[in-house]
Amino acid sequence: SAVISQKPSRDICQRGTSLTIQCQVDSQVTMMFWYRQQPGQSLTLIATANQGSEATYESGFVIDKFPISRPNLTFSTLTVSNMSPEDSSIYLCSVYGDNSYEQYFGPGTRLTVT
Amino acid sequence: GDSVTQMEGPVTLSEEAFLTINCTYTATGYPSLFWYVQYPGEGLQLLLKATKADDKGSNKGFEATYRKETTSFHLEKGSVQVSDSAVYFCALIFGNEKLTFGTGTRLTIIP
């Protein structure tokens, strides 16, 4: 299984500001995934980030709001831009394990927007 | 499209009780099936998996069997502990397409 770390683990931010979340994996991976988990809800995929190409966003998510970087095979960032209280969620990154059908998740970044 | 339907929670049980959390799926083929667990304040952990019909996944005393006939993957444990209190998510995936999650079931175990 992959070991995934995220920074920050939590943050409280003001409306209108931006926050960049970092995701670091202990091995090289082709695809990295970013999810959002709103309070009391299930997980929703935001985008898939492949190294060396533009991220692919799911319906309802746009690059201007959630820009993603993928500079190498072990690292990615997700920025939550121009935040509003509705962005208060847990943001998780995920990668495939050794078997292409298994996904492993980071510990999450708990974001509160006031 | 593919979907996962989970037993609605919250579920509250006494310690040492038998646990079943129902999960059924709708899919056009034969996906791989998973149970993930989210302990309070933490991210998701893969609890167990099954990749083909009749496979039984097991871990930490939990079991789930891939039932093609009933398109189900129910999670069971014979004797729950307080430390099992968490949110449990059933999920499916085809190949390297995106993971589809159920809504999650919050389980609370009372001493």
Side-chain angles (χ1 to χ4, degrees):
Chain A
S1 65
V3 177
I4 306 169
S5 60
Q6 286 186 232
K7 289 182 183 179
S9 58
R10 58 178 65 232
D11 208 342
I12 301 173
C13 300
Q14 294 208 343
R15 182 195 301 261
T17 63
S18 298
L19 176 72
T20 295
I21 301 167
Q22 299 179 6
C23 178
Q24 179 76 51
V25 188
D26 69 340
S27 58
Q28 293 185 339
V29 294
T30 304
M31 298 169 73
M32 295 180 77
F33 305 89
W34 286 99
Y35 288 83
R36 180 175 74 182
Q37 185 181 22
Q38 294 178 301
Q41 303 295 314
S42 188
L43 282 76
T44 301
L45 181 64
I46 297 171
T48 302
N50 290 327
Q51 195 270 334
S53 63
E54 293 283 333
T56 302
Y57 289 83
E58 297 296 307
S59 175
F61 298 95
V62 295
I63 188 171
D64 289 347
K65 175 67 175 177
F66 297 101
I68 288 171
S69 77
R70 184 74 205 276
N72 58 53
L73 291 173
T74 63
F75 187 79
S76 178
T77 67
L78 170 77
T79 298
V80 186
S81 303
N82 188 25
M83 288 184 284
S84 66
E86 292 71 34
D87 295 319
S88 296
S89 297
I90 300 173
Y91 292 86
L92 301 103
C93 68
S94 172
V95 302
Y96 284 122
D98 293 335
N99 296 308
S100 61
Y101 54 82
E102 292 180 12
Q103 280 191 20
Y104 293 91
F105 288 80
T109 295
R110 188 177 296 270
L111 170 63
T112 302
V113 183
T114 60
Chain B
D2 303 332
S3 66
V4 177
T5 302
Q6 264 184 256
M7 171 179 177
E8 288 199 16
V11 175
T12 303
L13 295 172
S14 298
E15 203 164 22
E16 300 183 2
F18 184 87
L19 168 71
T20 299
I21 300 178
N22 290 339
C23 172
T24 58
Y25 67 89
T26 302
T28 54
Y30 301 109
S32 296
L33 301 172
F34 307 89
W35 278 100
Y36 284 87
V37 58
Q38 186 175 34
Y39 296 104
E42 299 185 13
L44 266 70
Q45 298 178 23
L46 179 61
L47 180 61
L48 53 82
K49 66 180 186 288
T51 60
K52 61 183 186 296
D54 300 325
D55 266 2
K56 177 185 283 188
S58 61
N59 186 25
K60 300 182 180 181
F62 291 90
E63 292 183 341
T65 301
Y66 190 142
R67 301 287 188 198
K68 182 178 64 174
E69 305 81 13
T70 54
T71 61
S72 65
F73 193 55
H74 304 321
L75 182 68
E76 297 182 336
K77 186 173 185 181
S79 177
V80 293
Q81 305 300 313
V82 172
S83 58
D84 295 326
S85 298
V87 181
Y88 292 82
F89 293 93
C90 186
L92 67 80
I93 195 169
F94 280 101
N96 61 355
E97 296 181 7
K98 69 176 183 177
L99 203 55
T100 299
F101 285 93
T103 53
T105 302
R106 181 175 299 277
L107 174 66
T108 302
I109 307 301
I110 299 172

Coordinates of all heavy atoms in Angstrom, one line a residue, chain A residues 10 31 33 35 37 40-45 58 90 92 96 99-108 110, chain B residues 32 34 36 38 40-46 49 51 87 89 93 95-99 101-104 106:
Chain A
R10 N -5.4 20.6 8.9 CA -6.6 21.4 9.1 C -6.3 22.9 9.0 O -5.1 23.2 9.2 CB -7.3 21.1 10.4 CG -6.5 21.3 11.6 CD -7.3 21.0 12.9 NE -7.7 19.6 13.0 CZ -8.9 19.2 13.2 NH1 -9.9 20.1 13.3 NH2 -9.2 17.9 13.3
M31 N -1.2 8.4 -11.6 CA -2.5 9.2 -11.3 C -2.6 9.5 -9.9 O -2.4 8.7 -9.0 CB -3.7 8.4 -11.8 CG -3.6 8.0 -13.3 SD -4.9 6.8 -13.8 CE -6.4 7.8 -13.7
F33 N -5.6 11.5 -7.3 CA -7.0 11.9 -7.3 C -7.3 12.9 -6.1 O -6.7 12.7 -5.0 CB -7.9 10.7 -7.1 CG -7.7 9.6 -8.2 CD1 -6.8 8.6 -7.9 CD2 -8.4 9.6 -9.3 CE1 -6.6 7.6 -8.9 CE2 -8.2 8.6 -10.3 CZ -7.3 7.6 -10.0
Y35 N -10.4 14.4 -3.8 CA -11.8 14.3 -3.4 C -12.2 15.3 -2.4 O -11.4 15.9 -1.7 CB -12.0 12.9 -2.7 CG -12.0 11.7 -3.6 CD1 -10.7 11.1 -4.0 CD2 -13.1 11.1 -4.1 CE1 -10.7 10.0 -4.8 CE2 -13.1 10.0 -4.9 CZ -11.9 9.4 -5.3 OH -11.8 8.3 -6.1
Q37 N -15.1 15.9 0.7 CA -16.1 15.2 1.6 C -16.7 16.3 2.4 O -16.2 16.8 3.4 CB -15.5 14.2 2.5 CG -16.5 13.4 3.3 CD -15.9 12.4 4.2 OE1 -14.7 12.5 4.6 NE2 -16.7 11.4 4.6
G40 N -20.7 15.3 6.9 CA -21.7 14.3 6.9 C -22.1 13.6 5.6 O -23.0 12.8 5.5
Q41 N -21.3 13.8 4.6 CA -21.5 13.3 3.2 C -20.5 12.3 2.8 O -19.5 12.1 3.5 CB -21.6 14.5 2.2 CG -22.5 15.6 2.5 CD -24.0 15.1 2.5 OE1 -24.4 14.4 1.5 NE2 -24.7 15.4 3.5
S42 N -20.8 11.7 1.7 CA -19.8 10.8 1.1 C -18.7 11.6 0.3 O -18.7 12.8 0.3 CB -20.5 9.8 0.2 OG -19.7 8.8 -0.3
L43 N -17.9 10.8 -0.4 CA -16.8 11.5 -1.1 C -17.2 11.8 -2.5 O -17.9 11.0 -3.2 CB -15.6 10.6 -1.1 CG -14.7 10.6 0.1 CD1 -15.4 9.7 1.2 CD2 -13.3 10.0 -0.2
T44 N -16.8 12.9 -3.0 CA -17.0 13.3 -4.4 C -15.7 13.6 -5.1 O -14.9 14.4 -4.5 CB -17.9 14.6 -4.4 OG1 -19.1 14.4 -3.8 CG2 -18.1 15.0 -5.9
L45 N -15.5 13.0 -6.2 CA -14.2 13.2 -6.9 C -14.2 14.6 -7.6 O -15.1 15.0 -8.3 CB -14.1 12.2 -8.0 CG -12.8 12.2 -8.9 CD1 -11.6 12.0 -8.0 CD2 -12.8 11.2 -10.0
E58 N -14.1 16.7 -12.8 CA -15.4 16.1 -12.9 C -16.5 17.2 -13.0 O -16.2 18.4 -12.8 CB -15.7 15.3 -11.6 CG -14.8 14.2 -11.4 CD -14.9 13.1 -12.5 OE1 -16.0 12.7 -12.7 OE2 -13.9 12.7 -13.1
I90 N -13.7 18.3 4.1 CA -12.4 17.6 4.1 C -12.0 17.3 2.7 O -12.8 16.8 1.9 CB -12.6 16.2 4.9 CG1 -13.1 16.5 6.3 CG2 -11.2 15.5 4.9 CD1 -13.4 15.2 7.1
L92 N -9.3 15.2 0.4 CA -8.5 14.1 0.4 C -7.8 13.8 -0.9 O -8.5 13.9 -2.0 CB -9.3 12.8 0.8 CG -10.0 12.9 2.2 CD1 -11.5 13.1 2.0 CD2 -9.8 11.6 3.0
Y96 N -3.6 5.0 -6.6 CA -3.8 3.6 -6.8 C -2.6 2.9 -6.0 O -1.5 3.4 -5.9 CB -3.7 3.2 -8.2 CG -4.9 3.4 -9.0 CD1 -4.9 4.2 -10.2 CD2 -6.1 2.9 -8.7 CE1 -6.0 4.5 -10.9 CE2 -7.3 3.2 -9.4 CZ -7.2 3.9 -10.5 OH -8.3 4.2 -11.2
N99 N -2.1 -2.8 -6.9 CA -3.1 -3.3 -7.8 C -3.9 -2.1 -8.4 O -4.3 -1.3 -7.6 CB -4.0 -4.3 -7.1 CG -3.3 -5.5 -6.7 OD1 -2.7 -6.2 -7.5 ND2 -3.5 -5.9 -5.4
S100 N -4.1 -2.1 -9.7 CA -4.6 -0.8 -10.3 C -6.0 -0.5 -9.8 O -6.5 0.6 -10.0 CB -4.5 -1.0 -11.8 OG -5.4 -2.0 -12.2
Y101 N -6.7 -1.5 -9.2 CA -8.1 -1.2 -8.8 C -8.2 -0.8 -7.4 O -9.3 -0.5 -6.9 CB -8.9 -2.5 -9.1 CG -8.4 -3.7 -8.4 CD1 -8.6 -4.0 -7.1 CD2 -7.6 -4.6 -9.1 CE1 -8.1 -5.1 -6.5 CE2 -7.1 -5.7 -8.5 CZ -7.3 -6.0 -7.2 OH -6.8 -7.1 -6.6
E102 N -7.1 -0.8 -6.6 CA -7.2 -0.4 -5.2 C -6.8 1.1 -5.1 O -5.8 1.5 -5.6 CB -6.3 -1.2 -4.3 CG -6.7 -2.6 -4.2 CD -5.7 -3.4 -3.3 OE1 -4.8 -2.8 -2.7 OE2 -5.8 -4.6 -3.3
Q103 N -7.5 1.9 -4.3 CA -7.1 3.2 -4.1 C -6.9 3.4 -2.6 O -7.6 2.9 -1.7 CB -8.2 4.2 -4.5 CG -8.2 4.5 -6.0 CD -9.1 5.7 -6.4 OE1 -9.5 6.5 -5.5 NE2 -9.5 5.7 -7.6
Y104 N -5.8 4.2 -2.3 CA -5.4 4.5 -0.9 C -5.5 6.0 -0.8 O -5.3 6.8 -1.7 CB -4.0 4.0 -0.6 CG -4.0 2.5 -0.6 CD1 -3.7 1.8 -1.8 CD2 -4.2 1.8 0.5 CE1 -3.6 0.4 -1.8 CE2 -4.2 0.4 0.5 CZ -3.9 -0.3 -0.7 OH -3.9 -1.6 -0.7
F105 N -5.9 6.4 0.5 CA -6.2 7.8 0.7 C -5.3 8.4 1.7 O -4.8 7.7 2.7 CB -7.7 7.9 1.3 CG -8.7 7.7 0.2 CD1 -9.1 6.4 -0.2 CD2 -9.3 8.7 -0.4 CE1 -10.0 6.2 -1.2 CE2 -10.3 8.5 -1.4 CZ -10.6 7.3 -1.8
G106 N -5.0 9.7 1.6 CA -4.3 10.4 2.6 C -5.2 10.7 3.8 O -6.4 10.4 3.7
P107 N -4.7 11.3 4.8 CA -5.4 11.5 6.1 C -6.4 12.7 5.9 O -7.3 12.8 6.8 CB -4.3 11.9 7.1 CG -3.2 12.4 6.2 CD -3.3 11.7 5.0
G108 N -6.3 13.5 4.9 CA -7.3 14.5 4.6 C -6.9 15.9 5.2 O -6.1 15.9 6.2
R110 N -8.8 19.1 6.7 CA -10.1 19.6 7.2 C -10.1 21.1 7.1 O -9.4 21.8 7.8 CB -10.4 19.1 8.6 CG -11.7 19.4 9.2 CD -11.9 18.8 10.6 NE -11.7 17.4 10.6 CZ -12.7 16.5 10.4 NH1 -14.0 17.0 10.3 NH2 -12.5 15.2 10.5
Chain B
S32 N -14.9 -4.5 -9.2 CA -14.3 -4.8 -7.9 C -15.0 -4.0 -6.8 O -15.5 -2.9 -7.0 CB -12.8 -4.4 -7.9 OG -12.1 -5.1 -8.9
F34 N -15.4 -2.8 -2.6 CA -14.5 -2.5 -1.4 C -15.4 -2.0 -0.2 O -16.5 -1.5 -0.4 CB -13.6 -1.3 -1.8 CG -12.8 -1.5 -3.0 CD1 -13.2 -1.2 -4.3 CD2 -11.5 -2.0 -2.9 CE1 -12.5 -1.4 -5.4 CE2 -10.7 -2.3 -4.0 CZ -11.2 -1.9 -5.2
Y36 N -14.5 0.7 2.8 CA -13.6 1.6 3.4 C -14.1 2.0 4.8 O -15.3 2.1 5.0 CB -13.4 2.9 2.6 CG -12.5 2.7 1.4 CD1 -13.1 2.3 0.2 CD2 -11.2 3.0 1.4 CE1 -12.3 2.1 -1.0 CE2 -10.4 2.9 0.3 CZ -10.9 2.4 -0.9 OH -10.1 2.3 -2.0
Q38 N -13.7 5.0 8.0 CA -13.2 6.3 8.3 C -13.4 6.5 9.8 O -14.6 6.7 10.3 CB -13.9 7.4 7.6 CG -13.4 8.8 7.8 CD -14.0 9.9 6.9 OE1 -15.2 9.8 6.6 NE2 -13.3 10.8 6.5
P40 N -13.1 8.5 13.5 CA -13.3 9.9 13.8 C -12.0 10.8 13.5 O -11.0 10.5 14.1 CB -13.7 9.9 15.2 CG -14.3 8.6 15.4 CD -13.6 7.6 14.5
G41 N -12.2 11.8 12.8 CA -11.1 12.8 12.5 C -10.0 12.3 11.6 O -8.9 12.9 11.5
E42 N -10.2 11.1 10.9 CA -9.2 10.6 10.1 C -9.6 10.4 8.6 O -10.8 10.7 8.3 CB -8.7 9.2 10.6 CG -8.2 9.3 12.0 CD -7.6 7.9 12.5 OE1 -7.5 7.0 11.6 OE2 -7.4 7.8 13.7
G43 N -8.7 10.1 7.7 CA -9.0 9.8 6.4 C -9.6 8.4 6.2 O -9.9 7.7 7.2
L44 N -9.8 8.0 4.9 CA -10.3 6.7 4.7 C -9.2 5.6 4.7 O -8.1 5.8 4.1 CB -11.0 6.7 3.3 CG -12.5 7.0 3.3 CD1 -12.7 8.4 3.6 CD2 -13.1 6.6 1.9
Q45 N -9.6 4.5 5.2 CA -8.7 3.3 5.2 C -9.4 2.2 4.4 O -10.6 1.9 4.7 CB -8.3 2.8 6.6 CG -7.6 3.9 7.4 CD -7.3 3.3 8.8 OE1 -7.3 2.1 9.0 NE2 -7.1 4.2 9.8
L46 N -8.7 1.5 3.6 CA -9.2 0.3 2.9 C -9.4 -0.8 3.9 O -8.4 -1.2 4.5 CB -8.3 -0.1 1.7 CG -8.8 -1.3 1.0 CD1 -10.1 -1.1 0.3 CD2 -7.7 -1.7 -0.1
K49 N -11.6 -6.0 0.4 CA -12.0 -6.0 -1.0 C -12.3 -7.3 -1.5 O -11.9 -8.4 -0.9 CB -10.8 -5.4 -1.8 CG -9.5 -6.2 -1.8 CD -8.5 -5.6 -2.6 CE -7.3 -6.5 -2.8 NZ -6.5 -6.7 -1.6
T51 N -12.7 -9.0 -5.7 CA -12.5 -8.6 -7.1 C -13.4 -9.5 -8.1 O -13.5 -9.1 -9.2 CB -11.1 -8.7 -7.6 OG1 -10.6 -10.1 -7.4 CG2 -10.2 -7.8 -6.8
V87 N -17.3 5.5 10.4 CA -18.2 5.6 9.3 C -17.7 4.6 8.2 O -16.5 4.6 7.9 CB -18.3 7.0 8.7 CG1 -19.2 7.0 7.5 CG2 -18.8 8.0 9.7
F89 N -17.9 2.9 4.4 CA -18.3 3.2 3.0 C -18.1 2.0 2.1 O -17.0 1.4 2.1 CB -17.4 4.4 2.4 CG -17.6 5.7 3.0 CD1 -16.8 6.1 4.1 CD2 -18.6 6.6 2.6 CE1 -17.0 7.4 4.7 CE2 -18.8 7.8 3.2 CZ -18.0 8.2 4.2
I93 N -15.4 -0.2 -8.3 CA -14.6 0.4 -9.4 C -14.5 -0.6 -10.5 O -14.5 -1.9 -10.3 CB -13.2 0.8 -8.9 CG1 -12.5 1.7 -9.9 CG2 -12.4 -0.5 -8.6 CD1 -11.3 2.3 -9.3
G95 N -11.9 -1.5 -13.4 CA -10.6 -1.3 -13.9 C -10.0 0.0 -13.2 O -9.9 0.1 -12.0
N96 N -9.5 0.9 -14.0 CA -9.0 2.1 -13.5 C -9.9 3.3 -13.7 O -9.4 4.5 -13.8 CB -7.6 2.4 -14.0 CG -7.6 2.6 -15.5 OD1 -8.6 2.4 -16.1 ND2 -6.4 2.9 -16.1
E97 N -11.2 3.1 -13.8 CA -12.1 4.2 -13.8 C -12.3 4.7 -12.4 O -11.7 4.2 -11.4 CB -13.5 3.7 -14.4 CG -13.3 3.2 -15.8 CD -14.7 2.8 -16.4 OE1 -15.7 2.9 -15.7 OE2 -14.7 2.2 -17.5
K98 N -13.2 5.7 -12.2 CA -13.3 6.3 -10.9 C -14.0 5.5 -9.9 O -14.9 4.7 -10.3 CB -13.9 7.7 -11.0 CG -15.3 7.7 -11.4 CD -15.8 9.2 -11.3 CE -17.3 9.2 -11.6 NZ -17.8 10.6 -11.5
L99 N -13.6 5.6 -8.7 CA -14.3 4.9 -7.6 C -15.6 5.5 -7.3 O -15.8 6.7 -7.2 CB -13.3 5.0 -6.3 CG -13.4 4.0 -5.2 CD1 -13.2 2.6 -5.7 CD2 -12.4 4.4 -4.2
F101 N -18.7 5.7 -4.6 CA -18.9 5.4 -3.2 C -20.4 5.4 -2.9 O -21.2 6.1 -3.5 CB -18.3 6.5 -2.3 CG -16.8 6.4 -2.2 CD1 -16.0 7.1 -3.0 CD2 -16.2 5.7 -1.2 CE1 -14.6 7.1 -2.9 CE2 -14.8 5.6 -1.1 CZ -14.0 6.3 -1.9
G102 N -20.8 4.6 -1.8 CA -22.1 4.7 -1.2 C -22.1 5.9 -0.3 O -21.1 6.6 -0.1
T103 N -23.2 6.2 0.3 CA -23.4 7.4 1.1 C -22.7 7.3 2.5 O -22.6 8.3 3.2 CB -24.8 7.7 1.3 OG1 -25.5 6.5 1.8 CG2 -25.5 8.1 0.0
G104 N -22.3 6.1 2.9 CA -21.7 5.9 4.2 C -22.7 5.5 5.3 O -23.8 6.0 5.3
R106 N -22.8 5.4 9.5 CA -22.1 5.7 10.8 C -22.5 4.7 11.8 O -23.7 4.4 12.1 CB -22.6 7.1 11.3 CG -21.9 7.5 12.6 CD -22.2 8.9 13.0 NE -21.8 9.9 12.0 CZ -20.5 10.4 11.9 NH1 -19.6 10.0 12.8 NH2 -20.2 11.2 11.0

